Amino acid sequence: MTAADRLRQMADSTYVRFAIVGVANTIVGTTIMFVFYNVFGLSYWVSSASNYFFGSICSYLLNKNFTFRFHERGYASLLRFTLHILTCYLTAYGIAKPVMSHLLAAYGKTVQENVSMMLGMVLFVILNYTGQRFFAFRKKLNIKHETLNMKHET
């Protein structure tokens, strides 16, 4: 499979559905995050984590059933999803905070952390689609079918 084929495979209809779910989650989560930080005075970590806690509940249900049409029973997909979201969150926001603190050192903590939260959101989105599609909601391969197809093609 060529790189172009892999790109086409990733940019199929699941990407459009993922984007629709993402817009809804972004509106809700971003509102929660900035209200918690700027109105209630909660910390950077509590505010940004609240965004992903509440948004992830909605995201799991919508992406499992609507985006990826994943019908596996049991808790394995929920565990993979939870690990994926946690990894994306810690990576994205763990990178964003020190980078923005350094780049915006001349500004106050509130400006640094608001911009850090916006950068963290961007980094999170970049990591999130691939991880949900190929890890959290991955489909089991039929090894016999794949092997037969490979033998038939040669």
Side-chain angles (χ1 to χ4, degrees):
M1 181 180 285
T2 67
D5 290 335
R6 288 182 190 185
L7 186 58
R8 265 191 239 82
Q9 180 184 10
M10 282 184 66
D12 64 5
S13 63
T14 63
Y15 186 77
V16 173
R17 291 190 302 265
F18 185 82
I20 292 167
V21 169
V23 168
N25 281 340
T26 299
I27 291 168
V28 171
T30 303
T31 301
I32 288 169
M33 180 171 62
F34 286 111
V35 167
F36 279 17
Y37 185 79
N38 292 299
V39 176
F40 296 129
L42 299 177
S43 75
Y44 171 85
W45 291 108
V46 170
S47 300
S48 60
S50 296
N51 172 0
Y52 292 96
F53 175 79
F54 293 111
S56 292
I57 294 168
C58 180
S59 176
Y60 176 77
L61 295 171
L62 289 174
N63 282 322
K64 180 181 181 195
N65 297 305
F66 172 69
T67 304
F68 301 110
R69 297 179 178 153
F70 187 79
H71 301 291
E72 181 181 296
R73 300 246 183 229
Y75 293 102
S77 67
L78 180 59
L79 179 60
R80 287 191 306 267
F81 178 85
T82 302
L83 289 172
H84 168 66
I85 294 296
L86 185 60
T87 301
C88 284
Y89 169 73
L90 292 173
T91 302
Y93 285 81
I95 291 170
K97 188 166 175 42
V99 167
M100 288 298 108
S101 293
H102 176 73
L103 292 176
L104 302 174
Y107 297 90
K109 181 181 176 182
T110 302
V111 170
Q112 291 174 9
E113 291 186 343
N114 273 287
V115 175
S116 293
M117 288 188 287
M118 289 188 293
L119 176 60
M121 288 172 50
V122 171
L123 296 173
F124 185 93
V125 168
I126 292 167
L127 298 169
N128 193 23
Y129 174 73
T130 304
Q132 283 197 39
R133 176 153 187 196
F134 297 107
F135 177 67
F137 300 119
R138 71 175 181 258
K139 302 221 190 292
K140 293 180 182 176
L141 292 177
N142 184 339
I143 301 301
K144 284 183 181 179
H145 180 74
E146 294 295 323
T147 304
L148 289 174
N149 281 342
M150 287 174 43
K151 285 180 182 176
H152 179 70
E153 291 174 0
T154 57

